[in-house]
């Protein structure tokens, strides 16, 4: 296809290239084919007003055009006629002072385009075009074909030339979720790598490694091509393809790093056994890799079920409010999406508006103060070298368990990505937590060793930093942790227990117990002389027949080892799959062990910020010179461990305690959500604020002055 060079219309003004930093509350509307005939523009403009939205993402084209396109085979909505629903809402949003992003979807084409351009289509292993799984007469496209490279580029150029938009957003742009064996793709892969495309029935094919890297580069080159094309027309406009929780990990960072000024994480709600803190983790994880880039969390107003797909229903209002609020408290900007402009059920509007109005109230403070935490969890999500689709998988159960335990313990924490781990990133961190980091590189081990040498502490579980005995040359944290690996991972085992050793802060809170539940995957370790063995494994014994279930003599190897370092740092190693087994079984003793280990690692002074009271809350801390803000999100509800929430239980008896810097005076406290100042008591160098019952959110804003000022 010949790429034209359209020129912007003179009616569109130049705009700030950093517009995205002010796009903080998003409305997304995804049109359906019949929407142009029933679109109520006034209703949608009213929703944008009520939600205080300052940014709009709106369906424009790709699979289906919702504007009067001039491009051949750019399939127009059958109900478009002489209307322009895209243009009408763009104009209305601009009148409201909003930023606008045009949504395109290149994952499929209609039959006329498929017949005219078979080279655009994805193909199966026999070379046959792949029909759409849901819609007859529609065909999947190949992201390595000229459809993505040239045709979609032309569509983006037309939209940016004709409409006052700030960005183009691509949905489902990475292909149908498998290898396309189209002739052009096979030929390009062979020319670039020397391999034939790997076959789905041969998982051991060495071409998989080459394919994963090749696909990553091809997709990254598309991001660059599309972004260059729209910026050539209007310099402020960006082309920002959709991303999941992996962000750019599955792309070529050196190509796309400057192409994503912000991220939109497409995790639209909870399904299955996902906890109420899931949206907050998305904000933390993104900041762990890109601490200075905005991220928006795409939230569906409907229930999320990847199998049942109820796209025209609505989620419970309690779930919507909680999902949005926990997300923005932890840094994920609110973005709601509605499929179909026609509303069969408007019960979503009020809870979304309430959550967005809470964000508007808190935004001046939350946007001004950076998130800070004394505890950081090492994020070890990495892309697969052989399976390019595995990169969007869920976090590991080891991480899930630690996350749940830290939330239950009300310990504020952040993420740091393993590829971003540096001494500078750990500068304000007191404890680094490794739920499972089995394959640390030499540079990462060196950073962690320097961190502890500088007074930092580490809590490491399972095989974190402990390569198997068969790989003695791999970098290891064994010397730092005060352990020696004598037996590789063993399991799964049943009926395992760990016995309390000498009294230690890490094994406190188990009064009356001689032992507690252990793990299912165990490491055999020995402790060095200057380390404390806090728990020991009870030697294995049968779980059946019941008459045989009793302890036998045997070697009682260390299960938890604590060590104090000359620098003042502390380390704890747990020699079993603690995070995984806590997430799987939710034994309170395991949650207490995680919390005890982290609190002891923080040192005798303990955490700087403590939130007291009953219930499940998510805590975020932001701080600046002479001020600090503590956000408390109430996640207490009957469905906290799986959606949807259908009730929010207000929490009474909550308190916030903050250790103040030395020599301060005039400490004041403001309740951002409830409004107004509140009493603050200073006791033993800590500012303590009592909270009225917290329904969903409260933010305590403390200020003080130096005594010498």
């Amino acid at each position: 296809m010949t790429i034209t060079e359209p020129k912007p219309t003179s009616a569109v003004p130049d705009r700030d290239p950093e517009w995205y930093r002010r796009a903080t509350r998003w409305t997304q509307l995804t049109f359906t084919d019949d929407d142009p005939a029933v679109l109520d523009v006034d209703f949608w403009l009213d929703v944008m007003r009520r939600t205080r939205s300052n940014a709009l993402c709106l369906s424009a084209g790709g699979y289906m055009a919702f504007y009067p396109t001039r491009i051949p085979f750019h399939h127009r909505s059958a109900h478009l006629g002489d209307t322009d629903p895209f243009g009408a809402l763009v104009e209305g949003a601009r009148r409201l002072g909003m930023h606008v992003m045009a949504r395109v979807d290149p994952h499929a084409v209609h039959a006329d385009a498929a017949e005219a351009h078979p080279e655009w289509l994805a193909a199966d292993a026999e070379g046959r075009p792949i029909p759409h799984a849901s819609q007859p007469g529609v065909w999947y496209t190949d992201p390595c074909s000229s459809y993505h490279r040239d045709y979609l580029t032309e569509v983006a150029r037309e939209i940016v030339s004709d409409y006052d938009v700030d960005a183009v957003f691509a949905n489902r742009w990475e292909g149908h979720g498998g290898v396309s064996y189209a002739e052009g793709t096979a030929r390009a892969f062979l020319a670039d790598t020397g391999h034939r495309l790997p076959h789905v029935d041969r998982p051991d094919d060495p071409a998989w490694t080459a394919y994963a890297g090749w696909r990553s580069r091809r997709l990254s080159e598309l991001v660059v091509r599309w972004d260059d094309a729209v910026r050539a027309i209007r310099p402020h406009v960006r082309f920002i393809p959709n991303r999941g929780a992996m962000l750019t990990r599955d792309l070529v960072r050196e190509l796309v790093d400057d192409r994503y000024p912000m991220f939109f994480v497409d995790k639209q709600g909870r399904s299955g056994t996902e906890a109420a803190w899931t949206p907050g983790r998305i904000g933390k994880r993104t900041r762990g890799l890109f601490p200075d880039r905005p991220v928006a969390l795409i939230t569906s107003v409907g229930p999320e079920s990847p199998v049942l797909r109820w796209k025209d229903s609505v989620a419970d209002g309690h779930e919507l409010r909680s999902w949005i609020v926990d997300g923005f408290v932890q840094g994920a900007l609110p973005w709601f999406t509605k499929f179909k402009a026609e509303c069969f059920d408007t019960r979503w509007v009020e809870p979304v508006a309430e959550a967005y109005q809470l964000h508007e109230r808190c935004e001046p403070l939350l946007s001004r103060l950076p998130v800070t935490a004394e505890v950081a969890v090492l994020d070890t999500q990495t892309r697969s070298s052989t399976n390019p689709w595995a990169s969007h998988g869920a976090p590991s159960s080891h991480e899930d368990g630690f996350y749940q335990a830290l939330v239950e313990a009300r310990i504020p924490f952040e993420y740091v990505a393993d590829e971003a781990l540096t001494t500078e990133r750990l500068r304000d961190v007191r404890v680094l937590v490794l739920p499972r980091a089995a394959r640390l590189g030499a540079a990462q081990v060196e950073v962690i060793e320097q961190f502890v040498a500088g007074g930092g502490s580490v809590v490491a579980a399972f095989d974190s930093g402990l390569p198997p005995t068969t790989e003695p040359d791999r970098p290891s944290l064994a010397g730092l942790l005060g352990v020696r690996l004598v037996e590789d991972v063993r399991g799964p085992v049943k009926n395992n227990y760990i016995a309390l050793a000498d009294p230690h802060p890490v094994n406190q809170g188990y009064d009356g117990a001689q032992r507690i539940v252990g793990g299912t995957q165990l490491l055999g370790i020995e402790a060095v002389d200057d380390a404390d063995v806090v728990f020991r494994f009870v030697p294995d014994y049968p779980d059946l027949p019941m008459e045989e279930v009793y302890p036998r003599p045997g070697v009682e190897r260390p299960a938890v080892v604590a060590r104090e370092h000359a620098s003042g740092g502390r380390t704890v190693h747990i020699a079993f799959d603690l995070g995984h087994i806590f997430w799987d079984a939710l034994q309170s003793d395991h949650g207490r062990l995680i919390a005890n280990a982290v609190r002891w690692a923080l040192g005798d002074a303990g955490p700087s910020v403590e939130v007291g009271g009953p219930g499940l809350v998510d805590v975020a801390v932001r701080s600046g010179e002479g001020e600090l803000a503590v956000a408390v999100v109430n996640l207490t509800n009957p469905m906290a461990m799986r959606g949807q929430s259908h009730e929010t239980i207000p929490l009474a008896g909550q308190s916030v305690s903050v250790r103040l810097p030395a020599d301060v005076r005039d400490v004041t406290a403001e309740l951002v959500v409830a409004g107004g100042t509140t009493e603050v008591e200073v006791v033993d160098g800590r500012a303590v604020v009592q909270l009225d019952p917290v329904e969903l959110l409260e933010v305590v804003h403390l200020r003080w002055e130096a005594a010498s000022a």
Side-chain angles (χ1 to χ4, degrees):
M1 165 174 288
T2 301
I3 302 297
T4 62
E5 296 291 342
K7 302 297 183 183
T9 61
S10 58
V12 177
D14 292 333
R15 299 193 181 275
D16 183 354
E18 291 201 341
W19 59 268
Y20 55 86
R21 296 196 178 276
R22 295 181 299 280
T24 57
R25 286 181 295 278
W26 288 81
T27 290
Q28 180 184 354
L29 175 56
T30 303
F31 286 135
T32 59
D33 194 357
D34 63 336
D35 273 340
V38 296
L39 176 63
D40 185 342
V41 172
D42 290 338
F43 169 82
W44 281 101
L45 293 179
D46 182 62
V47 166
M48 295 175 211
R49 290 188 191 95
R50 291 179 64 186
T51 58
R52 313 296 200 269
S53 292
N54 53 29
L56 170 67
C57 180
L58 184 64
S59 292
Y63 171 72
M64 186 174 293
F66 294 97
Y67 69 96
T69 179
R70 300 178 298 278
I71 299 175
F73 302 112
H74 192 194
H75 184 90
R76 293 190 182 201
S77 159
H79 299 265
L80 189 67
D82 59 358
T83 67
D84 184 358
F86 174 75
L89 276 175
V90 169
E91 182 179 346
R94 284 302 196 188
R95 287 199 304 269
L96 294 177
M98 298 173 65
H99 304 287
V100 178
M101 176 181 288
R103 176 188 180 273
V104 297
D105 187 331
H107 86 281
V109 293
H110 293 76
D112 58 340
E115 182 177 352
H117 291 281
E119 73 278 8
W120 289 351
L121 308 183
D124 63 19
E126 283 71 44
R128 298 170 300 201
I130 302 175
H132 200 282
S134 301
Q135 179 65 26
V138 174
W139 305 86
Y140 286 123
T141 57
D142 184 335
C144 297
S145 73
S146 59
Y147 178 82
H148 280 60
R149 186 179 61 253
D150 297 334
Y151 190 84
L152 192 70
T153 306
E154 183 73 353
V155 170
R157 288 176 178 272
E158 182 178 65
I159 294 168
V160 173
S161 296
D162 291 356
Y163 296 94
D164 184 10
V165 299
D166 297 301
V168 179
F169 170 84
N171 187 58
R172 302 191 68 185
W173 63 283
E174 297 164 291
H176 68 288
V179 177
S180 170
Y181 296 91
E183 182 180 345
T185 298
R187 188 167 53 247
F189 181 67
L190 180 63
D192 290 345
T193 69
H195 292 277
R196 298 190 182 279
L197 287 168
H199 197 280
V200 291
D201 296 331
R202 294 196 293 273
D204 58 345
D205 190 334
W208 279 113
T209 299
Y211 178 78
W214 181 81
R215 177 180 179 272
S216 175
R217 179 163 288 275
R218 280 299 183 106
L219 293 177
S220 301
E221 290 169 349
L222 277 178
V223 174
V224 173
R225 179 177 179 81
W226 290 335
D227 195 41
D228 282 346
V230 297
R231 293 171 78 177
I233 299 170
R234 302 189 203 281
H236 81 280
V237 175
R238 305 304 300 264
F239 196 116
I240 309 177
N242 198 2
R243 292 276 76 202
M246 289 298 290
L247 306 176
T248 61
R249 287 181 172 95
D250 54 342
L251 300 176
V252 181
R253 285 282 300 274
E254 61 264 25
L255 289 179
V256 303
D257 203 40
D258 63 341
R259 303 295 176 152
Y260 278 92
M262 73 176 301
F263 292 100
F264 316 107
V265 176
D266 196 354
K267 179 68 175 86
Q268 298 185 18
R270 288 197 289 167
S271 62
T273 54
E274 291 183 302
W277 42 253
T278 300
R281 175 161 65 181
I282 290 169
K284 292 183 182 184
R285 191 186 302 285
T286 306
R287 194 162 50 248
L289 186 58
F290 294 106
D292 298 323
R293 299 193 196 184
V295 57
L297 172 59
I298 301 177
T299 301
S300 174
V301 303
E304 276 300 288
S305 173
V307 176
L308 300 174
R309 303 283 290 175
W310 291 309
K311 305 314 294 182
D312 277 334
S313 187
V314 299
D316 190 283
H318 293 278
E319 177 73 12
L320 282 173
R321 290 195 311 154
S322 177
W323 180 269
I324 293 169
V325 169
D326 191 54
F328 77 64
V329 162
Q330 299 293 357
L333 299 170
W335 169 317
F336 80 85
T337 180
K338 170 69 172 68
F339 295 93
K340 185 164 182 53
E342 185 180 11
C343 288
F344 306 116
D345 188 337
T346 60
R347 288 177 294 172
W348 59 271
V349 176
E350 187 59 30
V352 170
E354 290 174 0
Y356 272 46
Q357 289 164 20
L358 277 174
H359 180 263
E360 181 189 44
R361 186 178 306 171
C362 298
E363 183 183 18
L365 181 64
L366 301 186
S367 63
R368 182 171 60 79
L369 296 180
V371 177
T372 56
E374 299 173 309
V375 176
V377 173
L378 187 66
D379 178 12
T380 55
Q381 274 204 4
T382 53
R383 56 174 294 196
S384 169
S385 62
T386 59
N387 183 356
W389 300 281
S391 59
H392 297 287
S396 76
S397 55
H398 300 268
E399 180 197 317
D400 287 334
F402 268 83
Y403 203 107
Q404 172 69 20
L406 291 172
V407 170
E408 283 190 34
R410 302 181 170 204
I411 297 174
F413 65 99
E414 282 288 280
Y415 272 116
V416 58
D418 55 359
E419 61 263 58
L421 183 66
T422 63
T423 53
E424 177 60 26
R425 284 296 298 272
L426 297 178
R427 181 168 54 86
D428 297 321
V429 172
R430 293 169 60 195
V431 179
L432 179 65
V433 178
L434 314 180
R436 189 186 187 189
R439 301 195 67 86
L440 294 174
Q444 294 163 329
V445 167
E446 182 179 3
V447 167
I448 295 172
E449 290 175 337
Q450 291 176 352
F451 173 63
V452 175
S457 298
V458 172
V459 175
F462 198 31
D463 54 357
S464 294
L466 298 183
T469 58
T470 55
E471 301 180 39
D473 295 330
R474 269 189 39 207
S476 172
L477 290 175
L480 180 74
L481 299 173
V483 302
R484 289 184 292 268
L485 183 64
V486 296
E487 183 182 7
D488 291 331
V489 176
R490 178 170 63 89
V493 299
K494 297 180 180 179
N495 202 38
N496 179 253
Y497 303 92
I498 58 175
L500 281 73
D502 293 336
H504 190 280
V506 174
N507 61 24
Q508 297 305 293
Y510 300 103
D511 296 347
Q514 298 177 24
R515 63 185 192 175
I516 63 173
V517 173
T520 59
Q521 300 278 341
L522 318 179
L523 286 174
I525 62 169
E526 295 176 345
V528 301
D529 291 341
D530 67 343
D532 295 318
V533 177
V534 180
F535 288 90
R536 290 187 180 274
F537 286 116
V538 174
D540 292 355
Y541 57 91
D543 68 308
L544 283 174
M546 295 308 297
E547 293 80 358
E548 301 289 350
V549 183
Y550 62 90
R552 273 75 158 175
V555 177
E556 297 182 352
R557 283 184 170 148
V560 179
V561 175
R563 191 183 193 196
E564 296 192 59
H565 295 257
S567 65
R570 297 174 172 182
T571 57
V572 179
H573 178 249
I574 300 109
F576 61 95
D577 54 342
L578 177 59
H580 164 76
I581 198 64
F582 181 52
W583 186 245
D584 184 58
L586 290 175
Q587 295 293 300
S588 59
D589 283 346
H590 287 150
R592 181 177 293 109
L593 176 54
I594 292 172
N596 282 355
V598 173
R599 287 199 175 103
W600 179 75
L602 279 167
D604 295 336
S608 296
V609 175
E610 296 182 287
V611 178
L616 181 69
V617 301
D618 201 3
V619 179
V621 178
R622 287 171 166 80
S623 55
E625 186 65 32
E627 60 182 328
L628 183 143
V630 181
V632 179
V633 184
N634 177 15
L635 300 181
T636 307
N637 68 83
M639 305 301 290
M641 299 305 290
R642 63 175 297 169
Q644 302 176 36
S645 300
H646 49 257
E647 180 182 10
T648 301
I649 303 172
L651 286 185
Q654 305 298 305
S655 64
V656 172
S657 172
V658 176
R659 185 167 58 243
L660 296 167
D663 299 323
V664 300
R665 60 182 176 83
D666 297 335
V667 182
T668 61
E670 176 189 2
L671 300 180
V672 177
V673 174
T677 59
T678 190
E679 183 178 349
V680 55
E681 183 180 9
V682 178
V683 181
D684 296 329
R686 299 187 72 93
V688 180
V689 175
Q690 305 296 330
L691 302 182
D692 290 331
V694 177
E695 185 200 359
L696 180 58
L697 170 67
E698 188 54 85
V699 181
V700 179
H701 184 200
L702 290 166
R703 291 189 180 97
W704 57 82
E705 293 183 7
S708 58

